């Protein structure tokens, strides 16, 4: 079925011209000029139009014009268009040939010998050879090189006007004097002046009926072995000057003439009526697109003729009026149409017969038609009820308190009794008299509008405002919205084969009555409208609802599923002006309830406010086929900050603000019905509905790769999709090299911090190790040696204790001194470990604070002369100088009995000098470094000075005091710093 869809997509040849849906475009809608000389559709779905003001691309919405001024064409006057190989568009202009392929234009230069004059016809063969006709000259272009064909080679053709390739790739050439065809490398005469006379051929078309040739004297058909046939205005042509030939997919031949267009049907041409002035102008071109639409390029407009699932009948089709009220098929299969203003018509397409008051009807305003007994018809009208029998009318007057004569509906029940719906209520005809079957309404305008007999022979009557009456066996009950009706304004009643009553109402939607229960369905549930004027059953499982917004088709199964809670929303198929209805008001206004029928041939008939509507259920297959053609979706423009983007290099700079996509779905039959959705991969997780909008934008996209997708969906659910890939470039600081560089820099920084920290740890560890080594040396050099000396003295004491008491006593005193010295050294080492004096202050500050504390409570004067250092000394140097000063002061207090002690710290050019002097009793320093006299503190001071690379000296005389001097060189101190 799908494979044959293209064949089926064409205008129905059984329809009148007026029954095709029509659209028209002129300069007011965007054409550069009204005259369209040529039409062609390329495989990408675009329709191309040749005008005198340029080449125009049409997508169903907008026109885009290409001109000589833009460098696209040799001339703005486009004469002919042809489709070449691989979708190439060949463009014949008044100044030469051009082509459009893969989005680019190319002109064929005259400098290479190519035709530079008006190109009136062009063909590209499957091997790539080009054939052109220019100013009466045929040119064969092979590999870009032109070869002019002489008149001698063309035989009877004096001046070529057209070159044509048929479906069998046979090349034909025609013009003044005859027709030839190409066989091999030579042209063979087909027709000459003896057959054609003075006819000048400007169009050729070959189909199953032969070779058709059009010129200034009508149309000629040639079939080998048969005489040629001529068609002129006598055969229905609008004019003998034929400018265009075309065959659609139903094999119908169409012609465009100097005075309109027409088609060949049953051996005769038929066209628009003489009253259709817009179709009587000059027609340059005809073209059928891939969706079966017929495009007409006229002198004053571009027109589109479209075949729709509906066939409309009105005044243009011979009916007396465009305002039908009801339609009915009688028992004999005759179709009858009731009009608001024109009586009753026996309808046969092309042969209607109308009955009015002149024929005996009580009024020309007819509301309803029903079957009576024996093939009679019951006619409800403004003037009352009439029975039509064999063309004769019998009229009935029903009593009314207000003198009103109208009867809105009438039915004959199973027993042959007639019931009538009147402004005063329901009446029944019994024994020749009318009897009221329902009480009179308290509302004077609540007319009874519609009647229906139920499966149990009950009568149901719908009113204008009061609700729904049930009548049986002399009883009547009124149902209203309180009982579950959707509305009290009833317009239509339909009993189906399942014994279900379907009720159409105004402002109440559709109501189902089944098993004594009402179920409502409204527009909020998914129906097209809540105003329903008529309900029809197509006997194929669906209901058709005539509403104030068009026709609505809904399956009964879907309604049952909704009522049972299996689905949450109704999804009917809706039909409006886009599907060919001349009016969407399918529910005629008060007082009629509307009317329609299903005829025996399966056709559905509806009344509308602008014509009688007919459709074969399944005839919307044509519409569905059209909608099975996927809309070609195109991204027509990409702009970044309002600047067009080069599609060949879709790399966008960093930091842009907005990117905008414009897109279109090419569905030329009904572009307004397309629904769009889009998604930007890398940004959107789901598809975003754009409904009918054809443009969207994104702002401040981060760098990365993206793919923009857009989807167009037609009413049949077919989709077409397009995509655009692009890359947003990163800022320099977002690039991989920069990030690698920054990573390396960060790594270097972290590594540097790590090395710095490691160096700190190592330095601290080295200081700890060095301190441990120092303590080990001091313990070895002082405590250990002291303990060894004590041990030796004790050993000697042990040997002399009995024999030499005096020597033993001397050795015991020396051991005591050595013990006290060792204890002093241990305390000094502990003090060195705590290092509390220098914490948080410089050496001069520490000496100033400590010196006064050292002599506190003693009758000793402390003199201080310490100066701040110009450059901070290493901590270890300060510690050693501080301990030397401490030891020197301690010795002066302990041994010298001094009255005054002077501590001086100088920052000299060659180093730091520390002196400690006292006025004590002094001593002989000659043995001060031997330890024999117990002077271990002097030894320790000297070791500290030597550790700093400095010099240590001590001078003293008996009664003249003691001077301790330490000098630490600046270079040594700086090295340690």
């Amino acid at each position: 079925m799908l494979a044959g869809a293209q064949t089926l997509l064409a205008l129905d040849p059984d329809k009148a011209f007026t029954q095709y849906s029509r659209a028209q475009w002129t300069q007011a809608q965007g054409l550069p000029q009204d005259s369209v000389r040529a039409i062609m559709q390329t495989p990408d779905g675009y329709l191309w139009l040749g005008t005198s003001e340029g080449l125009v691309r049409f997508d169903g919405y907008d026109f885009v014009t290409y001109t000589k001024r833009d460098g696209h064409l040799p001339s703005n006057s486009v004469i002919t268009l042809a489709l070449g190989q691989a979708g190439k568009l060949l463009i014949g202009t008044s100044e030469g040939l051009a082509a459009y392929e893969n989005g680019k234009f190319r002109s064929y230069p005259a400098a290479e010998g190519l035709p530079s004059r008006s190109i009136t016809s062009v063909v590209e063969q499957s091997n790539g050879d080009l054939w052109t006709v220019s100013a009466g000259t045929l040119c064969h272009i092979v590999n870009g090189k032109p070869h002019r064909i002489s008149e001698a080679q063309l035989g009877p053709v004096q001046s070529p006007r057209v070159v044509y390739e048929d479906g069998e790739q046979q090349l034909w050439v025609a013009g003044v004097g005859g027709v030839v065809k190409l066989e091999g490398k030579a042209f063979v005469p087909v027709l000459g002046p003896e057959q054609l006379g003075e006819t000048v051929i400007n169009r050729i078309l070959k189909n199953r009926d032969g070779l058709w040739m059009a010129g200034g004297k009508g149309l000629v058909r040639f079939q080998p072995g048969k005489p040629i046939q001529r068609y002129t205005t006598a055969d229905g042509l609008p004019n003998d000057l034929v400018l265009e030939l075309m065959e659609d997919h139903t094999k119908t031949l169409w012609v465009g003439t100097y005075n309109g267009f027409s088609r060949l049907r049953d051996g005769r041409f038929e066209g628009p009526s003489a009253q259709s002035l817009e179709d009587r102008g000059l027609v340059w071109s005809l073209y059928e697109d891939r969706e079966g639409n017929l495009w007409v390029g006229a002198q004053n407009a571009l027109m589109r003729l479209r075949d729709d699932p509906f066939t409309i009948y009105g005044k243009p089709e011979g009916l007396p009026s465009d305002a039908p009220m009801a339609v009915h098929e009688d028992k004999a299969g005759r179709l009858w149409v009731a009009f608001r203003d024109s009586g009753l018509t026996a309808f046969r397409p092309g042969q209607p017969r109308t009955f009015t008051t002149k024929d005996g009807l009580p009024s020309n305003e007819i509301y309803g038609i029903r079957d009576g007994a024996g093939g009679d018809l019951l006619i409800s009208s403004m003037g009352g009820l009439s029975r039509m029998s064999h063309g004769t009318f019998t009229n009935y007057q029903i009593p009314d308190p207000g003198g009103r004569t109208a009867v809105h509906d009438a039915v004959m029940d199973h027993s042959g009794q007639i019931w009538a719906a009147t402004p005063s209520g329901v009446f029944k005809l019994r024994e020749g008299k009318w009897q009221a079957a329902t009480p009179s309404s308290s509302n004077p305008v609540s007319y009874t509008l519609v009647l229906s007999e139920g499966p149990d022979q009950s009568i149901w009557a719908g009113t204008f405002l009061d609700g729904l009456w049930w009548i049986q066996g002399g009883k009547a009950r009124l149902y209203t919205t309180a009982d579950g009706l959707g509305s009290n304004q009833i317009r239509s009643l339909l009993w189906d084969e399942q014994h279900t009553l379907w009720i159409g109402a105004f402002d109440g939607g559709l109501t189902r009555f089944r098993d004594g229960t009402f179920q409502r369905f409204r527009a909020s549930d998914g129906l097209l409208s809540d105003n329903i004027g008529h309900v029809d059953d197509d006997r194929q499982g669906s209901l058709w609802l005539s509403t104030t917004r068009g026709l609505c088709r809904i399956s009964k199964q879907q309604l049952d599923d909704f009522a049972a809670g299996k689905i949450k929303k109704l999804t009917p198929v809706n039909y409006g002006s886009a599907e060919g209805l001349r009016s969407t008001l399918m529910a005629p206004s008060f007082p009629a309830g509307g009317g329609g029928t299903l005829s025996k041939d399966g056709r559905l008939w509806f009344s509308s406010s602008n014509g009688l509507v007919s459709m074969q259920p399944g005839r919307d297959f044509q519409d569905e086929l059209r909608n099975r053609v996927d809309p070609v979706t195109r991204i027509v423009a990409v702009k970044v900050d309002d600047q067009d983007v080069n599609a060949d290099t879709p790399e966008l700079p960093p930091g842009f603000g907005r990117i905008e996509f414009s897109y279109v779905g090419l569905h030329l039959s009904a572009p307004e019905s397309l629904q769009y959705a889009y998604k930007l991969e890398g940004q959107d997780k789901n598809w975003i509905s754009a409904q009918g909008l054809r443009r969207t934008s994104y702002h401040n996209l981060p760098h990365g790769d993206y793919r923009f997708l857009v989807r167009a969906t037609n009413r049949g659910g077919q989709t077409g999709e397009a995509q655009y890939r692009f890359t947003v470039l990163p800022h320099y600081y977002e690039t991989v090299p920069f990030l690698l560089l920054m990573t390396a820099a960060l790594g270097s920084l972290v590594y540097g911090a790590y090395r710095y920290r490691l160096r700190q740890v190592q330095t601290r560890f080295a200081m700890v190790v060095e301190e441990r080594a120092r303590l080990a040396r001091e313990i070895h050099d002082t405590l250990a040696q002291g303990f060894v000396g004590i041990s030796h003295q004790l050993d000697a004491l042990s040997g002399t204790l009995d024999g030499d008491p005096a020597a033993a006593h001397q050795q015991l005193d020396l051991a005591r001194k050595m013990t006290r010295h060792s204890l002093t050294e241990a305390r000094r080492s502990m003090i060195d470990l705590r290092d509390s004096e220098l914490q948080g202050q410089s050496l001069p500050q520490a000496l100033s604070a400590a010196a006064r504390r050292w002599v506190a409570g003693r009758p000793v004067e402390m003199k201080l002369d310490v100066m701040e250092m110009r450059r901070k000394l290493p901590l270890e140097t300060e510690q050693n100088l501080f301990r030397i000063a401490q030891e020197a002061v301690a010795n002066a207090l302990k041994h010298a009995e001094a009255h005054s002690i002077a501590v001086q710290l100088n920052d000299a050019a060659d180093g730091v000098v520390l002196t400690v002097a006292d006025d004590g009793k002094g001593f002989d320093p000659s043995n001060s470094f031997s330890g024999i006299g117990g002077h271990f503190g002097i030894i320790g001071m000297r070791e500290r000075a030597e550790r700093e690379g400095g010099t240590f000296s001590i001078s003293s005389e008996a009664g003249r005091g003691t001077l301790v001097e330490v000098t630490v060189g600046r270079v040594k101190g700086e090295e340690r710093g």
Side-chain angles (χ1 to χ4, degrees):
M1 178 177 61
L2 291 177
Q6 185 65 44
T7 301
L8 295 173
L9 287 176
L11 299 183
D12 183 353
D14 293 328
K15 284 188 176 182
F17 276 46
T18 55
Q19 291 175 320
Y20 300 131
S21 296
R22 180 174 305 216
Q24 182 171 294
W25 294 265
T26 64
Q27 284 182 282
Q29 287 76 43
L31 271 174
Q33 70 154 153
D34 292 344
S35 181
V36 177
R37 295 288 300 271
I39 306 174
M40 182 60 63
Q41 186 176 34
T42 46
D44 58 10
Y46 285 111
L47 197 71
W48 296 86
L49 313 171
T51 76
S52 297
E53 294 295 336
L55 178 69
V56 181
R57 189 186 71 186
F58 185 47
D59 58 16
Y61 303 94
D62 303 314
F63 297 95
V64 178
T65 304
Y66 301 90
T67 64
K68 179 180 180 179
R69 182 176 59 255
D70 304 322
H72 296 117
L73 302 173
S75 168
N76 285 345
S77 180
V78 177
I79 300 172
T80 186
L81 296 173
L83 199 61
Q85 300 301 310
K88 180 194 303 181
L89 181 66
L90 298 169
I91 309 157
T93 77
S94 62
E95 296 181 14
L97 182 66
Y100 176 82
E101 187 175 17
N102 298 325
K104 296 180 180 180
F105 286 91
R106 172 198 172 192
S107 293
Y108 292 81
E112 297 179 6
L114 295 168
S116 60
R117 292 172 293 180
S118 294
I119 304 293
T120 57
S121 184
V122 59
V123 166
E124 183 177 32
Q125 293 182 289
S126 58
N127 60 3
D129 289 2
L130 280 172
W131 294 85
T132 67
V133 173
S134 174
T137 301
L138 179 66
C139 185
H140 183 200
I141 304 170
V142 182
N143 297 324
K145 296 181 179 180
H147 303 276
R148 295 179 184 271
I149 307 301
S150 67
E151 291 185 357
Q153 294 175 278
L154 292 175
V157 180
Q158 298 294 316
S159 177
R161 296 293 182 89
V162 60
V163 57
Y164 165 76
E165 186 178 46
D166 63 24
E168 298 174 350
Q169 298 183 345
Q170 174 69 62
L171 194 74
W172 302 79
V173 179
V176 177
V179 178
V180 297
K181 64 179 180 179
L182 182 65
E183 292 187 356
K185 295 184 179 181
F187 287 95
V188 176
V190 177
L191 294 172
E194 60 276 9
Q195 292 91 7
L196 297 177
E198 298 179 357
T199 301
V200 178
I201 306 301
N202 51 41
R203 286 290 186 272
I204 304 177
L205 185 144
K206 186 175 182 295
N207 64 9
R208 61 185 179 182
D209 296 325
L211 184 69
W212 296 85
M213 295 154 283
K217 293 188 176 182
L219 193 62
V220 177
R221 181 173 69 169
F222 169 70
Q223 294 174 300
K226 295 182 180 180
I228 63 172
Q229 289 180 276
R230 294 182 180 273
Y231 296 85
T232 65
T233 53
D235 302 290
L237 282 177
N239 192 279
D240 285 341
L241 177 54
V242 179
L243 302 172
E244 179 68 300
L245 292 175
M246 188 212 75
E247 184 181 51
D248 68 17
H249 283 87
T250 64
K251 306 303 180 183
T252 298
L253 181 68
W254 295 80
V255 299
T257 77
Y258 189 80
N259 194 27
F261 61 98
S262 63
R263 66 186 174 193
L264 182 64
R265 187 179 183 193
D266 299 328
R268 184 173 176 81
F269 284 92
E270 59 180 16
S273 65
Q275 290 76 24
S276 180
L277 298 179
E278 65 178 3
D279 293 334
R280 286 295 175 179
L282 185 151
V283 173
W284 289 108
S285 54
L286 297 168
Y287 186 80
E288 183 188 37
D289 68 18
R290 68 192 189 107
E291 298 165 26
N293 303 300
L294 179 65
W295 294 85
V296 181
Q299 181 72 14
N300 57 0
L302 171 70
M303 289 183 288
R304 182 196 66 198
L305 274 64
R306 185 184 69 195
D307 194 8
D308 291 305
F310 302 101
T311 303
I312 314 295
Y313 300 91
K315 282 186 175 182
E317 291 75 34
L319 291 182
S321 170
D322 288 326
M325 293 293 285
V327 57
H328 174 75
E329 186 183 43
D330 64 20
K331 296 177 180 178
R334 293 185 297 259
L335 202 67
W336 297 85
V337 184
F339 292 97
R340 176 187 296 277
D341 54 3
S342 301
L344 178 69
T345 296
F347 178 67
R348 287 183 182 179
Q351 296 177 331
R353 181 187 174 187
T354 300
F355 299 87
T356 66
T357 54
K358 295 179 181 180
D359 301 290
L361 277 172
S363 171
N364 286 335
E365 187 172 348
I366 311 298
Y367 299 144
I369 312 168
R370 299 279 193 165
D371 283 326
D376 293 350
L377 292 179
L378 298 176
I379 314 298
S380 304
S381 73
M382 184 68 176
L385 178 64
S386 181
R387 185 183 71 197
M388 180 181 181
S389 178
H390 305 291
T392 301
F393 296 94
T394 302
N395 299 324
Y396 298 89
Q397 292 295 323
I398 301 174
D400 183 89
R404 293 166 294 188
T405 61
V407 174
H408 301 121
D409 196 9
V411 297
M412 178 176 285
D413 65 17
H414 67 288
S415 64
Q417 184 170 311
I418 297 176
W419 299 75
T422 76
S424 298
V426 180
F427 285 79
K428 62 181 177 180
L429 183 63
R430 188 169 185 177
E431 298 178 355
K433 294 183 179 181
W434 292 98
Q435 299 177 354
T438 59
S440 297
S441 173
S442 59
N443 190 335
V445 294
S446 183
Y447 309 146
T448 307
L449 295 181
V450 60
L451 299 171
S452 181
E453 184 181 17
D456 59 353
Q457 288 83 51
S458 60
I459 297 296
W460 296 77
T463 71
F464 178 59
L465 290 174
D466 285 347
L468 179 65
W469 284 102
W470 167 82
I471 308 167
Q472 190 174 40
K475 298 179 180 179
R477 176 185 175 181
L478 181 66
Y479 292 94
T480 66
T481 53
D483 301 293
L485 276 176
S487 168
N488 289 333
Q489 302 183 60
I490 310 301
R491 294 295 186 272
S492 179
L493 299 174
L494 172 71
W495 284 97
D496 67 12
E497 294 177 340
Q498 290 76 38
H499 294 180
T500 298
L501 176 62
W502 297 96
I503 306 162
F506 263 43
D507 198 31
L510 178 68
T511 302
R512 184 188 70 184
F513 182 69
R514 179 188 293 169
D515 300 327
T517 302
F518 292 98
Q519 172 70 47
R520 293 180 293 185
F521 308 93
R522 305 178 68 94
S524 58
D525 303 321
L527 292 182
L528 177 61
S529 172
D530 278 332
N531 297 325
I532 299 175
H534 187 74
V535 182
D536 263 312
D537 187 349
D538 64 10
R539 308 290 175 88
Q540 296 181 15
S542 293
L543 296 178
W544 291 76
L545 313 179
S546 296
T547 80
T548 53
R549 296 183 58 196
L551 281 171
C552 175
R553 174 166 61 89
I554 180 74
S555 72
K556 295 181 187 178
Q557 184 62 54
Q558 192 177 152
L559 293 168
D560 289 343
D561 290 344
F562 181 85
K566 295 180 181 179
I567 58 175
K568 301 298 182 183
K569 197 75 174 177
L570 299 173
T571 55
V573 178
N574 301 319
Y575 302 88
S577 57
E579 288 71 44
L581 294 177
R582 292 178 184 171
S583 170
T584 58
L585 182 56
M586 301 299 295
S589 58
F590 171 81
T597 191
L598 175 69
S599 57
K600 293 181 176 62
D601 61 1
R603 297 180 69 87
L604 282 166
W605 297 84
F606 308 95
S607 59
S608 80
S609 62
N610 192 8
L612 177 67
V613 179
S614 172
M615 191 190 73
Q616 182 83 37
R619 176 62 179 85
D620 53 345
F621 176 69
Q622 172 84 358
D623 188 59
E624 292 176 7
L625 278 178
R626 180 179 293 113
N627 283 290
R628 288 185 185 183
V629 178
D630 294 341
V632 178
T633 306
R634 308 281 295 179
I635 296 174
V636 296
V638 180
K639 291 186 176 182
V640 172
D641 293 334
D642 296 325
Q643 299 295 318
D644 289 329
V645 175
N646 187 347
D648 296 331
T649 57
E651 291 187 346
L652 308 184
F656 67 87
R658 179 172 64 98
I659 182 170
E660 181 181 86
F661 300 94
S662 298
Y663 46 83
V664 66
L666 295 163
H667 182 51
L668 299 178
S669 295
E672 67 280 358
S673 69
L674 289 179
Q675 296 291 301
Y676 295 93
Y678 61 86
K679 178 172 65 172
L680 182 61
E681 290 184 349
Q683 182 79 8
D684 302 324
K685 292 183 179 180
N686 302 309
W687 287 89
I688 300 171
S689 173
Q691 297 183 347
L693 298 178
R694 294 178 287 118
R695 182 176 299 171
T696 189
S697 61
Y698 290 84
H699 297 263
N700 303 318
L701 291 177
H703 72 90
D705 295 326
Y706 295 90
R707 184 171 70 139
F708 178 75
L709 295 168
V710 61
R711 175 186 297 164
T713 305
N714 63 22
R715 202 168 60 86
Q718 298 301 109
T719 63
E721 195 170 291
Q723 63 176 342
Y724 181 83
R725 295 180 182 271
F726 64 98
T727 299
V728 178
L729 298 176
H731 292 276
Y732 72 90
Y733 51 79
E734 296 174 313
T735 61
V736 173
F738 183 84
L739 293 177
L740 291 176
L741 179 62
M742 290 298 99
T743 301
L746 180 61
S748 299
L749 183 62
V750 172
Y751 180 73
Y754 164 75
R755 293 295 302 171
Y756 176 75
R757 177 63 180 166
L758 181 62
R759 183 177 298 176
Q760 285 184 321
V761 173
Q762 288 176 337
T763 300
R764 292 178 182 177
F765 181 74
M767 292 176 64
V768 172
V769 171
E770 184 176 356
E771 185 65 15
R772 288 179 177 177
R774 182 186 67 77
L775 289 174
R777 288 196 304 270
E778 289 193 359
I779 292 172
H780 178 270
D781 295 341
T782 57
L783 296 179
Q785 291 180 4
F787 292 149
V788 170
I790 292 170
S791 177
H792 287 323
Q793 295 301 320
L794 292 176
D795 288 342
L797 175 62
S798 176
T800 59
L801 183 62
D802 296 332
D804 191 355
H809 188 268
Q810 184 179 4
Q811 291 170 343
L812 181 60
D813 287 340
L814 182 58
R816 285 201 306 271
K817 291 181 179 180
M818 295 177 68
T819 301
R820 286 195 296 272
H821 176 72
S822 296
L823 179 60
T824 299
E825 288 298 320
R827 288 173 178 170
R828 181 177 58 78
S829 297
M830 294 299 293
I831 292 172
D832 286 348
L833 283 174
R834 284 200 297 263
D835 190 25
S836 61
E837 299 291 347
L838 284 170
Q839 290 184 357
Q841 56 186 347
S842 65
L843 177 60
Q845 293 170 338
L847 286 174
S848 298
R852 292 179 175 84
R853 189 172 61 252
W854 290 338
V855 299
R858 298 172 182 267
V860 177
E861 180 184 6
M862 173 60 71
K863 299 179 180 179
L864 289 173
D865 184 11
V866 295
M867 60 184 299
E868 287 295 332
M869 300 292 101
R870 287 174 291 179
R871 187 170 183 179
K872 181 173 176 61
L873 295 174
L875 180 61
E876 184 180 357
T877 300
E878 290 183 341
Q879 288 175 341
N880 285 319
L881 288 175
F882 182 84
R883 295 307 176 196
I884 291 172
Q886 184 182 26
E887 182 67 24
V889 171
N891 287 339
L893 292 173
K894 183 177 181 181
H895 302 293
E897 299 177 1
H899 297 89
S900 176
I901 300 174
V903 178
Q904 187 176 27
L905 181 67
N906 293 320
D907 189 3
D910 56 347
V912 178
V913 180
L914 172 68
T915 60
V916 179
D918 64 66
D919 59 355
K921 61 183 181 180
F923 70 101
D924 181 8
S926 57
N927 295 322
S928 58
F929 298 106
S930 64
I932 296 176
H935 307 294
F936 299 106
I938 296 175
I939 296 173
M941 287 189 287
R942 186 184 66 181
E943 289 178 347
R944 288 182 182 275
E946 291 176 348
R947 191 180 304 159
E948 295 301 323
T951 61
F952 175 83
S953 65
I954 184 170
S955 58
S956 180
E957 293 182 14
R960 298 185 62 107
T962 303
L963 175 64
V964 175
E965 186 177 78
V966 177
T967 301
V968 177
R970 180 166 297 283
V971 174
K972 178 68 176 177
E974 289 178 351
E975 287 177 354
R976 286 185 173 272

